[in-house]
Amino acid sequence: LHLSLRRQRQMCIRDRLNPNVTDLRLYDIRLAPGVAADLGHINTPSQCTGYAQENLEQALEGAEVIVIPAGVPRKPGMTRDDLFNTNASIVRDLAKAAAKVSPKAHMLIISNPVNSTVPIVAEVFKRAGVYDPKRLFGVTALDIVRASTFLSGIAGSKPADTNVPVIGGHSGVTIVPLLSQAQQGSSVSPGEQYEKLVHRIQFGGDEVVKAKDGAGSATLSMAYAGAVFADALLRAMHGEKGVKQCAFVESPLFKDQVQFFASPVELGPNGVENIPALPQITAEEQKLLFLSRDLREGRDVFNTVRAEFNRAREELHLILE
Ligand code: LMR
């Protein structure tokens, strides 16, 4: 069972084709029944139903996996954090309904700013007394997809064989690619080429926002990445062993600094099975993590993730009243 919201029709097409999806439910403030009728004609065994705005709880009832890409996209010049005021309350309302009617669902959060919307879902579930940190994920899969695409472009390798773990968070400098962990990482020259590649991975979302020129942000590559992550989770839920994906989750890795942190995570039937220690990272990668790169804000990765988390908490009393 798997539900998807708004903008991500491409993801729904992949879900209709995924043998582990038995019941695909679409919810949106408009058009979901029409999209579901269209998708429902694809000849795969799963059911597909669309729900109108007033039927949110019905759509979520008993769901095992809930994917939330809802909310407004960026315009050129905006950061993901600029979306907080609009998207935080949208995510809060969806999370409230999920906590009520599908408290055991795995929650896959795509809505930006992910570094803040994930703690919001955690808080809503905590207040409802149903929070399970193993089942809450900020989807950072697009950062991994971009890192693979851009590195293979330099290395001349097959993207499918070019795997770069990406840690930290999902906004600008909090996106930290571990190129040293990719076999092809050594084909990147130190200095300018390395820095340009890291910057492109960190600001890949901005590249799309700029190219779309006011018409939104990444939807197709995000839909692909979201479907890759959802598929991995569904395989792990069905008993496949050794499934590993990067995700922004409640993490012990830097728990004195931040509660949520993205890193490679082993998935199992109940969500997060294990969060392995980070591999040995290079001095350059340490710099990306620990040294201030955001000159405007004077923050390092931890400060930025913490600030976005604190903002979610501080404004929670307004949006969770
Ligand atoms: C992305 O990485 O493309 C998404 O988070 C959307 C955005 O605003 O950049």
Side-chain angles (χ1 to χ4, degrees), residues 20-36:
N20 283 328
V21 175
T22 53
D23 183 359
L24 178 65
R25 302 186 195 166
L26 277 59
Y27 174 82
D28 203 341
I29 50 176
R30 56 191 198 96
L31 300 179
V35 175

Side-chain angles (χ1 to χ4, degrees), residues 74 80 112 142 146 170 205 217-218 222:
R74 292 196 275 163
R80 291 181 183 82
N112 274 316
L142 183 50
R146 284 184 177 131
H170 181 63
S217 57
M222 179 57 96

Side-chain angles (χ1 to χ4, degrees), residues 20-305:
N20 283 328
V21 175
T22 53
D23 183 359
L24 178 65
R25 302 186 195 166
L26 277 59
Y27 174 82
D28 203 341
I29 50 176
R30 56 191 198 96
L31 300 179
V35 175
D38 184 359
L39 283 169
H41 288 189
I42 297 174
N43 62 335
T44 54
S46 60
Q47 282 190 38
C48 183
T49 323
Y51 294 82
Q53 182 170 15
E54 60 279 13
N55 296 328
L56 174 59
E57 288 190 7
Q58 214 182 323
L60 295 170
E61 184 90 52
E64 289 173 48
V65 176
I66 297 178
V67 185
I68 303 187
V72 293
R74 292 196 275 163
K75 293 210 180 312
M78 289 171 82
T79 66
R80 291 181 183 82
D81 205 40
D82 294 331
L83 303 175
F84 183 93
N85 287 338
T86 315
N87 290 355
S89 53
I90 294 173
V91 172
R92 169 206 59 193
D93 292 344
L94 297 169
K96 272 187 180 170
K100 185 171 163 205
V101 300
S102 45
K104 292 215 163 301
H106 294 84
M107 301 292 290
L108 276 49
I109 314 302
I110 293 177
S111 309
N112 274 316
V114 165
N115 295 359
S116 302
T117 51
V118 169
I120 285 173
V121 175
E123 196 61 31
V124 170
F125 271 62
K126 269 183 203 161
R127 288 188 187 205
V130 294
Y131 178 53
D132 178 356
K134 293 185 174 359
R135 289 171 187 250
L136 173 59
F137 304 89
V139 177
T140 59
L142 183 50
D143 301 322
I144 287 82
V145 168
R146 284 184 177 131
S148 163
T149 306
F150 302 157
L151 175 58
S152 60
I154 291 173
S157 53
K158 279 192 191 159
D161 299 336
T162 310
N163 301 310
V164 185
V166 181
I167 64 170
H170 181 63
S171 69
V173 294
T174 71
I175 297 168
V176 177
L178 300 183
L179 292 160
S180 65
Q181 301 305 307
Q183 270 172 19
Q184 301 80 358
S186 55
S187 33
V188 182
S189 317
E192 197 183 333
Q193 191 181 36
Y194 174 80
E195 278 162 24
K196 274 198 173 149
L197 175 60
V198 169
H199 187 273
R200 190 165 183 219
I201 295 166
Q202 292 181 323
F203 293 91
D206 299 66
E207 197 175 296
V208 180
V209 169
K210 205 166 158 210
K212 287 198 171 180
D213 197 17
S217 57
T219 52
L220 302 178
S221 49
M222 179 57 96
Y224 169 78
V228 166
F229 185 80
D231 173 62
L233 178 63
L234 287 167
R235 285 188 281 109
M237 287 167 68
H238 281 80
E240 188 177 318
K241 300 272 176 245
V243 180
K244 223 187 221 187
Q245 287 284 316
C246 290
F248 184 68
V249 293
E250 184 164 330
S251 174
L253 291 186
F254 296 96
K255 70 173 189 302
D256 297 340
Q257 312 239 41
V258 284
Q259 187 176 341
F260 291 90
F261 189 81
S263 70
V265 165
E266 279 169 31
L267 301 171
N270 297 309
V272 176
E273 188 102 343
N274 180 35
I275 302 178
L278 289 182
Q280 186 84 30
I281 63 177
T282 63
E284 281 302 317
E285 291 161 350
Q286 290 191 21
K287 261 197 235 164
L288 292 177
L289 258 187
F290 298 109
L291 291 188
S292 175
R293 301 246 318 168
D294 186 342
L295 299 178
R296 186 170 55 93
E297 300 284 350
R299 290 173 175 158
D300 66 5
V301 168
F302 299 105
N303 280 322
T304 308
V305 171

